[in-house]
Amino acid sequence: MFKNKPKSLLILGILTILNTSLALLNGIISLISGPPSAVEIKKENLKMAQSIVDFKKLDPPPEAMDLIEKIQQISTAVNDNFIFFTGISTLFSAIGFVSVFLMFRKEVYGFHAYIVYSILSSISIYFILSPSEVPTPLIIVNLLFSGLFVYLYSRNLAWIKNDNTLINNEE
């Protein structure tokens, strides 16, 4: 399966397989074990509240406090929509996982599936929160990393499309 593939595609594929398989495993285990109990949620909220109090003592900029408060809102929304959010996140991870194998089989649809996976993973938080509650830096960082990986995968499209004019991708 890994024979005669461009090294860059192989490295990207292994990184994606590791990431998506861990996300799949975590999602499946989370779906099987179910949402956290009220006691676990309360402990988590107390820890977060204590962290916010400790952070406020450092006199942070208002933007940092806003980001931390939005992260707490995300945590609450994930807990409130646990099955739905965990289910779609697991589904998106499965799309990413399959996309790599399609690219390894020289199917351009794998690249397209990877783009879909990247976008859906980056914006998945919007399925449970309104845009005003989502921290912009979180989305920007996710989209930047997704864009970087899509770009790096696109450098292997010639090989995926079975074109023999690879540039800088052959060993």
Side-chain angles (χ1 to χ4, degrees):
M1 170 187 236
F2 298 115
K3 194 172 182 178
N4 299 325
K5 298 201 178 0
K7 286 183 182 180
S8 60
L9 179 62
L10 195 57
I11 292 168
L12 289 169
I14 289 170
L15 289 172
T16 302
I17 288 170
L18 285 172
N19 180 47
T20 56
S21 61
L22 289 173
L24 272 169
L25 182 62
N26 184 43
I28 291 168
I29 290 171
S30 294
L31 286 170
I32 290 171
S33 64
S37 68
V39 172
E40 292 170 328
I41 292 173
K42 189 173 183 176
K43 284 182 185 178
E44 182 181 315
N45 288 341
L46 287 172
K47 283 182 187 177
M48 182 62 108
Q50 184 59 45
S51 297
I52 289 173
V53 168
D54 293 342
F55 191 64
K56 281 184 179 179
K57 290 178 185 175
L58 300 173
D59 195 31
E63 297 83 15
M65 284 308 303
D66 185 48
L67 181 63
I68 290 175
E69 289 169 0
K70 286 185 177 185
I71 289 171
Q72 186 175 21
Q73 290 174 341
I74 290 171
S75 177
T76 301
V78 167
N79 287 333
D80 291 346
N81 301 286
F82 182 82
I83 298 295
F84 173 72
F85 188 74
T86 304
I88 63 168
S89 296
T90 304
L91 175 64
F92 297 161
S93 295
I95 292 169
F97 188 79
V98 169
S99 71
V100 172
F101 286 101
L102 290 173
M103 284 189 275
F104 281 175
R105 291 181 55 204
K106 296 183 134 192
E107 295 184 32
V108 75
Y109 296 116
F111 178 68
H112 297 184
Y114 187 81
I115 293 171
V116 169
Y117 154 73
S118 296
I119 292 169
L120 289 174
S121 295
S122 294
I123 65 165
S124 63
I125 198 69
Y126 288 114
F127 288 108
I128 60 170
L129 284 174
S130 71
S132 64
E133 296 173 320
V134 177
T136 304
L138 175 72
I139 299 302
I140 290 171
V141 168
N142 283 340
L143 288 172
L144 284 174
F145 274 105
S146 294
L148 174 65
F149 271 75
V150 167
Y151 170 74
L152 292 172
Y153 273 114
S154 75
R155 305 276 296 149
N156 294 284
L157 275 176
W159 182 86
I160 293 169
K161 291 179 178 178
N162 204 17
D163 188 352
N164 291 327
T165 60
L166 282 177
I167 300 170
N168 294 330
N169 285 337
E170 287 290 334
E171 303 158 325

